[in-house]
Structure formats: C-alpha cells, structure tokens
Amino acid sequence: MKYRLYAKRTLIDKLAKNSATRLADNYYFNDIKKINLKIDQIVNTPKAELPMTLDAVFKQKNWLIRFGKKSTLSMTKTIP
C-alpha cells in the first residue's frame, strides 16, 4: 500500500470489514467481549447496601476474587 496523506474511503471501509471478520472468528476477542459484558452487568446493576460486618465484607471480597479468577483463566489461553 503506497503512503498517501489521506486514504480513500473505500479502502478504509474494506480494511474495517476485513478486521471485523477476522475478530469475529477469534475466540480470544470473543472471550474478552464476554468478560466485558459480565463486568458491565456487575458495575451497572444497582446493589443493595453492604452491611459493615466482617462476614459481609469477606463474603463480598470472596465473590470478587472468584469472579477475577474466572476472568483470568479465560484470559490466559494462548492466542492462535
């Protein structure tokens, strides 16, 4: 591809389409999308107030740790 200051719109559209097709078939990026959806659900869901007891705090912390381990495990797959 010859360097030009401005690329034609058709070339940009072609590159974007090829990139979208390539990413749609890549399981690594699909896993990232799934993880992002889970994170969005957690962050955007209204939560009840957490009682300030040690049991409640540790229960919440353990849940977050388990969620983090699940997310980390899917992220450690090798990229083909």
Side-chain angles (χ1 to χ4, degrees), residues 12-79:
I12 293 171
D13 291 340
K14 179 182 172 186
L15 293 173
K17 182 181 175 189
N18 290 343
S19 178
T21 304
R22 185 179 66 247
L23 290 178
D25 294 337
N26 190 318
Y27 75 90
Y28 181 76
F29 288 104
N30 289 331
D31 283 349
I32 291 174
K33 286 181 186 179
K34 289 177 188 175
I35 292 169
N36 283 338
L37 285 174
K38 289 180 184 179
I39 291 171
D40 286 344
Q41 289 173 352
I42 291 169
V43 170
N44 296 329
T45 302
K47 295 172 186 55
E49 292 182 17
L50 182 66
M52 294 307 294
T53 63
L54 288 176
D55 289 338
V57 172
F58 283 120
K59 184 177 178 181
Q60 178 74 8
K61 182 179 177 185
N62 287 336
W63 183 85
L64 290 171
I65 289 171
R66 283 194 312 274
F67 176 77
K69 285 182 182 178
K70 285 184 207 174
S71 301
T72 305
L73 287 176
S74 63
M75 296 293 288
T76 56
K77 294 178 183 174
T78 56
I79 300 174

